[in-house]
Amino acid sequence: MENMVNIFLMGKKYSVPANLTIMTAMEYAGYELKRGCGCRNGFCGACATIYRIKGDTELHACLACQTKVEENMYIATLPFFPLVKKVYDINEIKPTEQIMMQLYPEIYACIGCNACTKACTQELNVMQYIAYAQRGEYEKCAEESFDCVMCGVCSSRCPAGISHPQVAMLARRLNGKYLAPGCGHLEDRVREINNGTFEELIEALMQKPIDEMRELYNNRDIEK
């Protein structure tokens, strides 16, 4: 077969088509993926993976669904990163600098190495949003971290032990709860949904094929 590459999955050698992603290459090799596969489109962060190319000293991190295989790629997937997740009641805390110091004091041990940013699978400026969190600038932290998929790769490279995705989640929750402007029409729509106004419409949408739903979504009316 042409255009095949040799890869190593958890230490075992396989020959797979060169146009596959790591995830599809694993399935080609016979692995049945029940965990760590998620959405398959890079939005859920479930398929965090580490790899090294033979002859290269650098260890890389990626999402398996987004990254194509390479010749002599040594691959190991990770089910999740055990991030520190503090328990809090969003109704009981306030968007002050002190709350971040109380819940995630490790962010103030950041040494500015930028390893988190370099490792980010979404190419976010992770170190910058941590700096915003340190200063209590939660609106900026929420905006900078908005596309985080919480894969945890950034935290795996952090010498200060920061759980960056959880810090960002707290900032976004504080911003949404206390700082962002209210959205009256959204509140009205949620109320209508809770009252059952759109049940027939939702049932009809659920019966449509994916392509038709995608077309409806891409051509929807967007409020200014």
Side-chain angles (χ1 to χ4, degrees):
M1 297 178 67
E2 297 182 357
N3 298 321
M4 303 290 283
V5 295
N6 295 312
I7 63 173
F8 297 82
L9 299 173
M10 274 65 77
K12 188 174 181 180
K13 184 178 180 179
Y14 297 90
S15 183
V16 302
N19 64 337
L20 299 182
T21 63
I22 292 175
M23 182 176 289
T24 53
M26 292 180 68
E27 292 176 318
Y28 180 92
Y31 285 83
E32 184 178 1
L33 303 181
K34 296 182 178 180
R35 297 181 60 189
C37 49
C39 68
R40 296 175 176 266
N41 283 294
F43 299 120
C44 74
C47 58
T49 299
I50 55 176
Y51 71 89
R52 188 193 306 275
I53 306 299
K54 185 177 181 180
D56 185 2
T57 60
E58 184 175 358
L59 189 66
H60 302 270
C62 68
L63 296 182
C65 68
Q66 294 180 322
T67 308
K68 283 192 174 183
V69 292
E70 299 179 40
E71 179 68 25
N72 287 325
M73 177 184 272
Y74 288 76
I75 301 164
T77 61
L78 302 165
F80 70 97
F81 283 103
L83 303 177
V84 173
K85 182 180 180 180
K86 295 298 178 66
V87 177
Y88 54 84
D89 185 337
I90 193 64
N91 296 304
E92 299 294 331
I93 62 177
K94 300 298 179 184
T96 63
E97 186 175 338
Q98 287 69 32
I99 193 60
M100 195 62 76
M101 295 176 67
Q102 176 185 335
L103 293 175
Y104 296 104
E106 62 272 16
I107 68 172
Y108 299 96
C110 173
I111 62 174
C113 67
N114 212 32
C116 52
T117 300
K118 293 177 182 177
C120 180
T121 59
Q122 301 298 96
E123 298 183 350
L124 301 181
N125 193 340
V126 182
M127 192 175 76
Q128 181 60 67
Y129 78 62
I130 291 297
Y132 288 141
Q134 290 172 335
R135 299 195 292 266
E137 298 181 44
Y138 300 127
E139 303 99 324
K140 293 181 179 179
C141 182
E143 178 67 25
E144 195 72 42
S145 68
F146 187 78
D147 289 328
C148 174
V149 296
M150 302 193 74
C151 66
V153 170
C154 55
S155 298
S156 73
R157 306 302 294 272
C158 179
I162 299 171
S163 291
H164 310 75
Q166 295 296 345
V167 172
M169 178 63 75
L170 174 56
R172 292 196 297 274
R173 286 172 172 168
L174 289 170
N175 184 59
K177 174 72 173 177
Y178 297 107
L179 304 174
C183 187
H185 71 275
L186 177 60
E187 294 174 357
D188 292 339
R189 184 56 55 87
V190 171
R191 191 177 302 110
E192 290 173 344
I193 292 172
N194 288 333
N195 291 335
T197 305
F198 301 102
E199 286 185 2
E200 291 186 9
L201 176 60
I202 292 173
E203 287 294 330
L205 283 173
M206 291 175 65
Q207 303 305 315
K208 294 183 181 296
I210 293 296
D211 289 341
E212 186 176 345
M213 292 182 68
R214 185 179 291 113
E215 186 68 21
L216 287 170
Y217 178 81
N218 290 335
N219 293 285
R220 71 195 186 282
D221 292 329
I222 300 177
E223 298 182 23
K224 303 296 184 182

